[in-house]
Amino acid sequence: MENHKEKILVVDDEASIRRILETRLSMIGYDVVTAADGEEALETFRNANPDLVVLDVMMPKLDGYGVCQELRKESDVPIIMLTALGDVADRITGLELGADDYVVKPFSPKELEARIRSVLRRVDKTGNSGIPSSGVIHVNHLRIDTNKRQVYKGDERIRLTGMEFSLLELLVSKSGEPFSRSEILQEVWGYTPERHVDTRVVDVHISRLRAKLEDDPSNPELILTARGTGYLFQRIIEPDEL
């Protein structure tokens, strides 16, 4: 962070939460901007161009879901949503709309800081064992460029969020081998599930990837379900194996 302070947009209608997070995140080296409602969040986002957004669900004018939908129309910026305690539906809805992770209120600022570090680290991470030296993988009609972190389906570029790409890269790096949901959560999100519902983060991201990459998401051929285990990417046959 010496040359470039990563910028975080904190969106919450509770002034006390904005103050606490602005103070703590600034102390550990982030540049922080804040917004008190959904409309202000979109305006601030477009002006500030943050590296990550911390987004509360319940807000006046435009709620967190609406903000998330609008942001995903124009950006792949990482989004961590703040959701109500015990409301599983809130968490899943946020993920389905494109959020990368969630933290449940009331939360520990240290937990949120750890999630922020993990998401930013994964979004910036490149390189993985099992990836060819060229960094480019061809499978069926897909071209996956791990250096540029881009995916093409035929000639069309498919927009993935940073976490979606990291998940795809993990599965492709050991194609044909199943990963459990807990392993995926640990490798991509950087934490071990404390509750069964935590692994739904993985399920929703898999669903989002299938919707973007598969010809028929209801009958996937690329990202497969390993019964009783988790998920795997179809085995990629290298040219020297033919």
Side-chain angles (χ1 to χ4, degrees), residues 72 223 234:
R72 281 292 170 254
I223 302 171
Q234 69 157 257

Side-chain angles (χ1 to χ4, degrees), residues 146-211:
T146 61
N147 294 324
K148 296 180 180 178
R149 295 177 68 80
Q150 295 177 355
V151 177
Y152 290 85
K153 190 174 182 180
D155 294 327
E156 177 190 4
R157 182 181 171 190
I158 305 300
R159 282 184 55 176
L160 300 184
T161 67
M163 297 301 276
E164 286 170 347
F165 190 91
S166 293
L167 173 56
L168 176 63
E169 186 179 25
L170 174 69
L171 296 176
V172 166
S173 71
K174 294 184 179 178
S175 68
E177 297 183 25
F179 288 88
S180 71
R181 290 170 176 81
S182 294
E183 288 172 332
I184 292 172
L185 200 62
Q186 181 69 56
E187 289 289 330
V188 177
W189 279 267
Y191 61 89
T192 302
E194 297 177 5
R195 300 165 297 274
H196 175 69
V197 71
D198 287 342
T199 58
R200 291 296 301 274
V201 174
V202 176
D203 295 332
V204 176
H205 273 74
I206 289 288
S207 179
R208 279 165 41 183
L209 271 180
R210 284 172 169 168

Side-chain angles (χ1 to χ4, degrees), residues 208-233:
R208 279 165 41 183
L209 271 180
R210 284 172 169 168
K212 292 181 179 183
L213 303 181
E214 301 277 3
D215 291 332
D216 179 5
S218 63
N219 186 29
E221 296 181 353
L222 299 171
I223 302 171
L224 309 176
T225 299
R227 297 295 174 197
T229 306
Y231 300 100
L232 72 156
F233 198 90

